[in-house]
Amino acid sequence: MAVAIRLAGADDAAIALAIDPAAATSAHRADWLRRAFAGEQGRGAQMAYLDGRPAGFAVMGRFFSNPFLDLIVTDPRFRRRGVASALLDEIERKHAAEKLFVSTNVSNAIMRALLLARGYLPAGQVDHLDPGDPELFFVRLPR
């Protein structure tokens, strides 16, 4: 099981839409993904492949002039096989000299545990983005 990471472009949006379960039920999410993969507002995306099959993706943006992981998604069929970790490895390597921010909902215990295990520090909370499910922010300090 080898995970390969590559830069993504607008042509990869359809693959991302097929991977992301939320895009199937949210026109807003699907539109946001198309725009992100097209590089709108300076965003960049990466695709992850597991044994040659599309298995996940990550979208990067900026947060107060710092790199911010906007979204990371693993295809449900490939979870717990190192896809998200491989994407994070690549992102962390690329931004090792900068503060790297990421957020996740309180309800996403898997992502919270992954971030804490990788040395991210709690950086705050924003309420009222998703009703009843606060957004927790984390930071990885420069290495």
Side-chain angles (χ1 to χ4, degrees):
M1 287 190 303
V3 178
I5 308 295
R6 70 165 177 79
L7 289 175
D11 293 343
D12 295 303
I15 298 169
L17 291 170
I19 289 172
D20 186 4
T25 60
S26 169
H28 174 76
R29 173 81 159 236
D31 181 59
W32 183 88
L33 279 172
R34 283 185 200 93
R35 290 183 289 111
F37 272 73
E40 199 169 289
Q41 295 182 336
R43 287 192 168 85
Q46 297 181 38
M47 295 295 306
Y49 291 82
L50 182 63
D51 297 329
R53 296 171 55 193
F57 65 88
V59 176
M60 292 294 298
R62 303 297 289 178
F63 179 70
F64 290 94
S65 300
N66 295 289
F68 183 80
L69 176 57
D70 281 321
L71 183 64
I72 188 167
V73 175
T74 299
D75 186 311
R77 298 171 297 165
F78 299 110
R79 290 192 178 147
R80 311 298 291 174
R81 295 175 63 189
V83 174
S85 291
L87 284 162
L88 280 170
D89 287 345
E90 179 66 17
I91 291 164
E92 290 168 358
R93 182 194 60 73
K94 183 177 179 183
H95 299 287
E98 303 171 272
K99 288 185 281 185
L100 173 60
F101 286 88
V102 62
S103 70
T104 190
N105 290 95
V106 166
S107 64
N108 193 341
I110 293 171
M111 185 64 169
R112 289 191 346 257
L114 177 64
L115 292 171
L116 292 172
R118 293 179 73 97
Y120 285 76
L121 303 171
Q125 175 177 314
V126 174
D127 297 320
H128 309 295
L129 289 175
D130 294 320
D133 196 5
E135 192 78 9
L136 300 176
F137 286 76
F138 296 84
V139 63
R140 184 174 186 271
L141 298 175
R143 304 284 175 187

